[in-house]
Amino acid sequence: MTEKKSNPLTDLIFNVIVPSVVLMKLSGQDYLGPVNALVLALAFPVVLGGYELLKHKKFNFISLLGFISVLLTGGIGLLELDTQWLAIKEALIPGLIGLVVFGSTFTRYPIVTKMIFNDTVLNLDLIKEHLNKHDKQAEFNKCLTQSNYLFASTFVFSAVMNYVLATTIVTSPAGSEAFNEELGEMTLLSYPMIAIPSMLMMFGIFYYVWRSIRRMTHLEANQIFKMQ
């Protein structure tokens, strides 16, 4: 039985759109005020994360970092720390993920291999048979290693862009109405400026691996992928 994935639209609404609107529109003293608006905005990704945990009974490394990121953002705002800490936090989370991905290259199970080269989506036995038949296994292993480096570089891109975005947009003191509005703006902009380019880079990596499999095995797409 295939594990049901979370809905990307739900993630976008509860992790990006709703928190951003709350921060930008309800932070004024006439509405919720900076502190209450910040708490409410951060409650949405926390509640969604908790729901996903209870539903799927699974809490992976990426989810854990996302949860910590939300708590750190709340802590910076509520404790009114210097906004430089926000920029550091924004760069730190994807930076740590990139480090883990890079480090996995030197283990038996690189992250890209686990994500792409698995029997959930690919006919592994047939692919391995044809790689050996054409004496391409060593070359394909190099392809997976290069893909893992490229995958790690997408998180480096995210870390740098997050830092630039945070230092450029969030300049008001933490705990103020302006800080919340800028935080909401940063959250909204991070999707088209960081998340979408990162996803496109990842799709490019997956395409590169797929093309390499086709070239090295001479198999067709319907033979490479499991169709059910």
Side-chain angles (χ1 to χ4, degrees):
M1 185 177 177
T2 356
E3 182 185 345
K4 192 176 178 183
K5 304 289 182 185
S6 58
N7 189 324
L9 182 59
T10 303
D11 289 342
L12 178 62
I13 291 171
F14 283 90
N15 290 328
V16 177
I17 296 175
V18 174
S20 298
V21 170
V22 169
L23 289 169
M24 295 169 72
K25 301 297 182 185
L26 302 179
S27 293
Q29 294 298 346
D30 295 339
Y31 296 97
L32 296 177
V35 173
N36 291 334
L38 180 61
V39 171
L40 178 61
L42 296 176
F44 284 96
V46 169
V47 168
L48 180 64
Y51 171 74
E52 292 292 335
L53 172 60
L54 291 173
K55 185 179 177 183
H56 300 298
K57 303 288 189 284
K58 199 172 180 183
F59 203 62
N60 60 32
F61 177 73
I62 307 295
S63 302
L64 177 62
L65 284 181
F67 183 73
I68 292 171
S69 175
V70 170
L71 292 183
L72 288 175
T73 301
I76 291 165
L78 296 174
L79 297 174
E80 300 182 7
L81 302 179
D82 192 293
T83 51
Q84 185 65 26
W85 286 107
L86 179 68
I88 293 170
K89 187 275 298 182
E90 288 294 312
L92 183 65
I93 301 299
L96 285 175
I97 298 173
L99 194 59
V100 169
V101 173
F102 178 77
S104 74
T105 310
F106 307 101
T107 69
R108 291 179 57 196
Y109 303 105
I111 300 289
V112 161
T113 305
K114 291 188 73 175
M115 285 179 62
I116 306 175
F117 204 58
N118 63 73
D119 57 7
T120 307
V121 288
L122 301 177
N123 289 311
L124 285 191
D125 291 339
L126 185 63
I127 292 169
K128 288 176 180 176
E129 179 189 329
H130 279 70
L131 284 172
N132 289 324
K133 178 182 174 182
H134 297 286
D135 197 23
K136 293 289 185 179
Q137 186 62 60
E139 185 181 345
F140 183 67
N141 289 341
K142 286 181 185 174
C143 161
L144 287 177
T145 300
Q146 290 168 351
S147 301
N148 213 60
Y149 289 142
L150 290 171
F151 191 47
S153 72
T154 65
F155 292 101
V156 174
F157 165 78
S158 294
V160 172
M161 286 299 294
N162 276 345
Y163 185 85
V164 170
L165 211 58
T167 51
T168 305
I169 294 175
V170 186
T171 54
S172 300
S176 65
E177 179 184 342
F179 170 82
N180 281 9
E181 291 174 357
E182 290 162 2
L183 186 60
E185 184 183 350
M186 183 191 76
T187 305
L188 273 182
L189 287 176
S190 69
Y191 197 79
M193 291 183 68
I194 301 171
I196 291 177
S198 295
M199 282 190 290
L200 291 175
M201 285 188 267
M202 288 178 194
F203 283 134
I205 294 166
F206 297 156
Y207 179 74
Y208 165 65
V209 173
W210 172 67
R211 291 290 296 176
S212 299
I213 292 173
R214 281 199 66 180
R215 178 174 58 82
M216 295 179 196
T217 63
H218 307 290
L219 294 170
E220 295 302 321
N222 62 339
Q223 297 173 295
I224 293 171
F225 293 100
K226 287 189 173 177
M227 295 303 174
Q228 56 179 6

